[in-house]
Amino acid sequence: MIPAKQIIAQLDNPTEADRLLIEKAYEVAQKAHEGHKRYSGEPYMTHVASVAHHLAEMGMGPRTIAAGLLHDTIEDTEVTQEDVRKTFGDEILFLVEGVTKLSSVRYYGTDRHNESLRKLFVATSQDIRVLIIKLVDRLHNMETLSHVPEEKQQRIARETLEIYVPVAHRLGMGKIRKELEDLAFPYVLPSEYDKVQELIKSRAGKAEVTLEKERKGLQKKLADSDLLDFHTSSRVKGLYSLFHKLKRKDWNIDVIYDLLAIRVIVSNVDDCYKALGIVHDLWRPLPKRMKDYIAFPKPNGYQSIHTTVTTKSGNILEVQIRTQKMHHEAEYGIASHIIYKGKEHAKSSNSSWFANLAPSLFRPFAWREQRHTKTEITKEKPHYEKIPQWIGQIGDNYTKEKSTGQEFLDDMRKDFFHSRIFVFTPNGDVVDLPTGASPIDFAYAIHSEVGDHVSGARVNKKFVQLDTELKNGDIVEIETKKTAKPTTKWLDATKTTLAKRRIKASLSGENGKNI
Ligand code: MN
């Protein structure tokens, strides 16, 4: 089990308070989960300690790490909200509750609602840190999925691919996305997984040796140039993303040019272009394969220069050139935008992380300057970051990466969450309703028969009036009675046309009968 010390060791210059906070959270979690076991038979604490360690490694701050340690306490142990509030304060309670709430967003195997689910997932989280904790939580659950009962594995793996992966992608978190994809792949598409494995085996052994030889050749060439600070590494394409590419290329692995890639990481943007010149001088570039994502970042903020080359020994491979900062962002995405290692809320009070992020998507050079200006930590009040609307478009750009910057800007402006809310059925299905909708709208959205016979409603387990306005994330239960039927009052208490139409029909039907 990862000890608290090892988690703290990941922080840059932690203060005494940071250290104490993490130790306290560790202690509380350990006591709370005492005797609980994972499916693997390991103490439950191994899970939360590993989540916290991963968060620390990503550069998240002490409060997020503490919330990572406590993320399963309210849901699974005797620890109450009040306990967390008293010991750790409102902000950490907010994060822990956010993660707890997210566990009710579940995937039930129908593709129809995936887009809503992704949006709901983001809307429910309310704070980007909640999403990050949840993604890291899921990563550890996927790493230990083999111990989970078989009937659960499918659902969890599918949910990972349908919900978590697109969210990670949209947040630019490349590392966790790739890991989640490759962990879920064999469970969701076992025969496809085997097929890809086999194809890659037929190539990879030899290819990796070749790749290493080529990397050294490039390394030497770069060392002979006047580049001061650089390093090179290589990577093999993730199996799941390879699978998608193979499908598009008729399963011909020979036309997949980025199966193997060499990465060149330099210290600044000028050096990226210098390095590109050196690469093209050493190896012949393939025409029209050069992509400058530094000048034109991908919608999720990804930056790098990609070029495909034929080496002197005739190998085709991709070279990816980026700065250290770009590399860090490609791996950790939004986490690297909002948090400087060890510092939470590293931003001035009037500029949201979103404002910091937005220019980076379109004006990389302005952004570069901005990144060098570290702002002070604001510690006065817990400041909850609001989710910007563009994250609500999660999934939109996942399949069509080619959308232009302008389209993307327009997407960002769409005020999605102002017009829709997402609520749950008691077993976790998601219902998408307009803002201001009531339990009656909800009942009609479930089924017209349910709507026609609503007799009562509970929201989050409490009885409410039928005209109560529902809020994002509410869990709604409807009680029905055969004798219950729509009244004219219901018309004022509903927002959806579906409900209004049914109510009117029912009212006029009644009238008809009475005459
Ligand atoms: Mn967990």
Side-chain angles (χ1 to χ4, degrees):
M1 189 177 329
I2 299 169
K5 242 197 301 183
Q6 207 176 314
I7 297 169
I8 296 163
Q10 295 289 328
L11 283 121
D12 264 357
N13 310 316
T15 64
E16 185 61 10
D18 295 343
R19 208 172 54 76
L20 287 173
L21 171 63
I22 291 171
E23 277 170 1
K24 184 73 188 163
Y26 195 94
E27 187 192 308
V28 169
Q30 194 153 35
K31 211 179 257 170
H33 290 293
E34 184 90 69
H36 293 186
K37 293 242 187 302
R38 298 279 289 172
Y39 281 116
S40 61
E42 286 185 305
Y44 201 90
M45 189 64 195
T46 54
H47 167 64
V48 296
S50 144
V51 168
H53 185 257
H54 195 142
L55 289 167
E57 221 174 39
M58 290 169 72
M60 303 301 289
R63 288 183 289 276
T64 309
I65 296 167
L69 284 163
L70 299 166
H71 82 269
D72 280 325
T73 52
I74 293 181
E75 197 173 20
D76 298 340
T77 76
E78 304 286 294
V79 172
T80 65
Q81 291 171 323
E82 218 24 61
D83 296 337
V84 175
R85 190 201 309 277
K86 266 191 212 136
T87 319
F88 299 101
D90 284 336
E91 185 179 3
I92 289 173
L93 173 65
F94 173 84
L95 295 174
V96 174
E97 282 195 300
V99 177
T100 307
K101 246 191 184 171
L102 274 190
S103 7
S104 51
V105 183
R106 301 183 71 186
Y107 171 77
Y108 282 92
T110 51
D111 291 341
R112 201 157 52 94
H113 296 303
N114 286 357
E115 187 53 24
S116 301
L117 262 177
R118 283 173 210 134
K119 283 172 176 162
L120 170 72
F121 193 75
V122 173
T124 309
S125 66
Q126 307 239 320
D127 184 311
I128 206 78
R129 292 172 297 170
V130 170
L131 274 183
I132 292 169
I133 297 169
K134 195 68 192 167
L135 285 166
V136 172
D137 174 44
R138 176 52 57 106
L139 178 62
H140 188 256
N141 287 336
M142 288 304 296
E143 283 166 350
T144 50
L145 193 64
S146 63
H147 303 287
V148 170
E150 234 171 89
E151 68 274 12
K152 286 191 176 181
Q153 289 175 342
Q154 266 296 314
R155 192 195 68 79
I156 297 170
R158 278 188 181 276
E159 183 176 79
T160 300
L161 275 191
E162 296 298 342
I163 312 299
Y164 288 73
V165 163
V167 170
H169 174 69
R170 200 58 199 79
L171 298 177
M173 302 174 77
K175 190 165 184 279
I176 203 166
R177 171 198 167 187
K178 182 178 172 185
E179 288 166 346
L180 287 172
E181 279 179 346
D182 288 346
L183 287 163
F185 187 21
Y187 292 95
V188 177
L189 299 162
S191 57
E192 287 85 347
Y193 178 79
D194 290 344
K195 200 170 165 187
V196 174
Q197 278 273 49
E198 219 141 90
L199 262 177
I200 207 166
K201 242 186 241 156
S202 70
R203 292 247 327 219
K206 186 174 140 264
E208 265 171 40
V209 178
T210 321
L211 184 66
E212 193 47 25
K213 208 184 80 207
E214 304 289 14
R215 188 189 65 79
K216 282 186 182 145
L218 177 60
Q219 171 88 17
K220 187 172 175 303
K221 181 86 178 176
L222 291 167
D224 290 345
S225 76
D226 58 353
L227 282 182
L228 288 178
D229 187 11
F230 69 90
H231 72 266
T232 56
S233 61
S234 58
R235 74 106 182 91
V236 179
K237 197 172 179 64
L239 288 182
Y240 188 70
S241 79
L242 175 59
F243 160 65
H244 276 291
K245 209 159 206 176
L246 279 168
K247 276 200 303 191
R248 292 201 303 271
K249 308 276 178 182
D250 295 323
W251 290 86
N252 180 4
I253 199 163
D254 293 327
V255 297
I256 294 186
Y257 298 138
D258 64 346
L259 178 64
L260 303 167
I262 293 176
R263 279 187 184 142
V264 180
I265 297 171
V266 296
S267 57
N268 59 58
V269 171
D270 288 351
D271 285 357
C272 289
Y273 293 102
K274 263 188 213 158
L276 178 69
I278 295 165
V279 169
H280 283 180
D281 184 39
L282 177 66
W283 295 324
R284 192 181 149 78
L286 261 65
K288 293 184 192 163
R289 300 280 313 180
M290 210 273 282
K291 288 172 214 134
D292 187 347
Y293 297 120
I294 293 179
F296 303 100
K298 287 192 184 183
N300 67 3
Y302 176 83
Q303 291 189 294
S304 269
I305 297 169
H306 290 188
T307 183
T308 307
V309 296
T310 312
T311 67
K312 290 191 175 117
S313 17
N315 297 300
I316 295 178
L317 48 89
E318 183 171 276
V319 181
Q320 304 173 346
I321 304 164
R322 51 174 81 149
T323 65
Q324 265 147 24
K325 277 202 177 69
M326 290 169 193
H327 182 59
H328 192 258
E329 284 170 15
E331 302 273 274
Y332 298 120
I334 209 151
S336 57
H337 283 285
I338 52 165
I339 291 119
Y340 296 103
K341 198 155 174 105
K343 294 185 181 180
E344 251 157 318
H345 307 308
K347 58 186 175 352
S348 60
S349 49
N350 59 357
S351 76
S352 69
W353 63 268
F354 172 52
N356 283 324
L357 176 60
S360 82
L361 297 169
F362 309 101
R363 288 187 288 117
F365 295 103
W367 158 79
R368 187 154 57 96
E369 290 153 17
Q370 205 169 355
R371 285 278 298 183
H372 287 290
T373 347
K374 285 203 177 182
T375 40
E376 283 309 300
I377 321 175
T378 50
K379 273 206 164 157
E380 341 69 71
K381 258 190 229 155
H383 174 103
Y384 303 140
E385 289 145 27
K386 284 273 170 288
I387 296 284
Q389 281 117 28
W390 64 265
I391 295 181
Q393 307 304 323
I394 277 168
D396 286 359
N397 294 299
Y398 185 58
T399 43
K400 46 162 181 127
E401 298 229 349
K402 51 197 173 291
S403 76
T404 64
Q406 188 51 49
E407 277 167 16
F408 186 59
L409 263 176
D410 290 339
D411 278 351
M412 285 164 54
R413 292 195 191 104
K414 264 186 222 153
D415 212 356
F416 187 82
F417 290 118
H418 279 178
S419 55
R420 306 298 291 181
I421 56 162
F422 299 92
V423 296
F424 303 109
T425 68
N427 53 22
D429 286 331
V430 182
V431 180
D432 171 357
L433 293 168
T435 306
S438 69
I440 303 172
D441 289 300
F442 174 87
Y444 277 108
I446 299 290
H447 196 280
S448 52
E449 279 298 307
V450 178
D452 282 343
H453 298 288
V454 179
S455 61
R458 281 192 288 183
V459 171
N460 304 325
K461 303 202 171 134
K462 288 193 191 97
F463 279 104
V464 298
Q465 300 285 331
L466 288 181
D467 61 355
T468 304
E469 190 174 318
L470 298 175
K471 294 189 307 295
N472 244 330
D474 279 345
I475 301 168
V476 188
E477 277 169 87
I478 296 296
E479 307 211 328
T480 55
K481 258 191 213 143
K482 275 235 165 73
T483 51
K485 53 186 190 223
T487 68
T488 43
K489 270 192 194 160
W490 285 21
L491 284 174
D492 297 328
T494 47
K495 281 275 190 278
T496 54
T497 34
L498 173 73
K500 285 186 192 294
R501 204 173 56 224
R502 290 285 310 185
I503 294 164
K504 278 180 198 156
S506 169
L507 289 172
S508 62
E510 287 291 325
N511 290 342
K513 247 181 254 164
N514 289 343
I515 291 169

